[in-house]
Each structure stands twice: as structure tokens, then as C-alpha cells.
Amino acid sequence: MQSRIPSTARTGRPRSAATDAAILEATRVALVELGWSKLTMGDVATRAGVAKTTLYRRWAGKNELVVDAVAELFDELELPDRGSLSADIEGVVLQFAALLNRPEAKTALMAVIAESTHDEPLRERIRTSIVERQKRLVLQGRARAQARGELPLEQDPETASRTADLIFDVAAGAVVHRTLVSAEPVDEDWVHRFTALLLTGLQG
């Protein structure tokens, strides 16, 4: 898992990874139990066993804290080499769906998305801390497929970047919609059919 360094970090004593982990875990637990509206920095501090000032040395407020708590979950996603582009896609989509079905991930993600509809700085933080970070999976998968000869190389960096954005939007959007909006299962059959449809576009 990649370490998270909130943008509000200040110079001074070295950060404690154990303290950060305890705070982010406490945040996710509090979200599940209390919901967004009732969650407070004080409650998170109590659950994590730290002073409230410790939180504010790391995060400016609840919005930043909750986004980082969600981002840490998404950093768990990996793209193991399963031998083919289709198998790689199916593997990461199943991982993603399983993550979204975890109560702490589902509650936290829905909360920050809802709050961001009227909070542009929060929306930007979601983009930079979650969306942009997870595009690494698309870049890694596409590079691996190109090395295998499954996808053509793209010579224009701008075109390659736009393609990566589109792949991410399609894959992530489909899984989030089916899991959190439609509340339908993302099982192996659905993932297989979705992957076949996605590959039609990629290889067309």
C-alpha cells in the first residue's frame, strides 16, 4: 500500500505511520457508525487514542481526513499479472467490486461524493487523491498488454493520456454504478461480459 501524506502536513517532528493508520481506520469506523453528518474530528481523535490537535496537525478538517481515509482503501487495489489483458481486467474489476462492498468503503465513498456536489475543493481533492492515483492501474495494465503485443503502442503522449482517462472512466464508472447505484452483483459472469465489451473497444 502506498503511504499517504496529506497536503496539510507540516514540518516538525517526524510523522508516525502507526498514528496515521490508527486515525484513518478510526475515521472509517466512525463513518460507518455515525455517518457523515455526525462524524467529528473529536470523535475520530477519541477512537484513535490521540489528541485532537494531532489530527489538525495532519488534516485541516473533516473533508480532507475522510478523503484520505477513503484513498487509503483504494491504494490496496493491485493488478497482478494473470497472463492476458482480459484476465488482468477481470481480476482488478473483481477486486474493485469487493472493495466497494466493504461497509467502510461504501459508506465513506458515498459520503464524500455527496458532500462534494456542493464543495469544489473537496471534489478536487477526490480527483487528485483517489481518481488520479488509481489511474496507475490503467497505465500499468495497458503497458503490460502492449509489451505482450495485445494492444498497439500509442506514439502521441496526449492521445495516450486521453485514452487512459477514458478507460478509467468506463471501467470505474460501470463498477461504481452497478455496485452502489443499481445494487446489482458484480460476479464473475458480469465481469466476463463487461471485459469482453471493453476489449472490443480497446482492440477495435
Side-chain angles (χ1 to χ4, degrees):
M1 181 189 303
Q2 302 181 49
S3 62
R4 295 282 303 141
I5 303 179
S7 62
T8 52
R10 296 172 173 81
T11 58
R13 291 184 301 174
R15 290 278 296 275
S16 165
T19 297
D20 287 355
I23 291 169
L24 295 174
E25 175 62 21
T27 302
R28 293 189 290 267
V29 172
L31 270 172
V32 173
E33 294 182 4
L34 303 176
W36 176 279
S37 62
K38 294 182 180 179
L39 183 146
T40 66
M41 297 288 274
D43 180 78
V44 171
T46 299
R47 290 169 184 265
V50 300
K52 189 156 62 172
T53 53
T54 300
L55 265 68
Y56 282 110
R57 281 198 298 268
R58 291 161 163 78
W59 292 276
K62 181 169 77 171
N63 289 357
E64 294 82 2
L65 172 61
V66 171
V67 170
D68 283 359
V70 177
E72 186 177 63
L73 291 178
F74 284 99
D75 282 343
E76 295 177 12
L77 293 173
E78 298 178 348
L79 189 68
D81 189 340
R82 302 177 71 184
S84 70
L85 177 57
S86 60
D88 288 354
I89 293 172
E90 290 180 8
V92 77
V93 168
L94 286 168
Q95 274 189 67
F96 185 35
L99 174 62
L100 291 179
N101 275 314
R102 287 164 53 178
E104 66 272 29
K106 182 183 300 185
T107 303
L109 185 61
M110 294 292 275
V112 295
I113 290 175
E115 191 69 15
S116 72
T117 59
H118 52 81
D119 186 333
E120 178 55 36
L122 177 59
R123 191 177 304 126
E124 179 59 28
R125 192 176 182 92
I126 291 171
R127 279 194 293 264
T128 57
S129 296
I130 300 176
V131 176
E132 294 301 325
R133 287 175 66 84
Q134 297 316 312
K135 285 181 182 177
R136 65 187 169 83
L137 299 169
V138 174
L139 298 175
Q140 181 183 353
R142 189 175 58 176
R144 185 183 294 162
Q146 288 170 337
R148 294 190 193 113
E150 295 174 293
L151 291 177
L153 293 172
E154 293 173 294
Q155 302 301 324
D156 180 21
E158 185 175 345
T159 299
S161 178
R162 288 201 304 268
T163 300
D165 288 347
L166 184 57
I167 294 170
F168 182 86
D169 288 345
V170 170
V175 178
V176 169
H177 186 277
R178 186 166 177 85
T179 305
L180 301 183
V181 180
S182 299
E184 295 287 345
V186 176
D187 53 23
E188 290 189 5
D189 177 65
W190 184 90
V191 171
H192 182 72
R193 289 185 289 112
F194 171 73
T195 300
L197 181 64
L198 185 61
L199 287 177
T200 299
L202 287 173
Q203 297 171 337

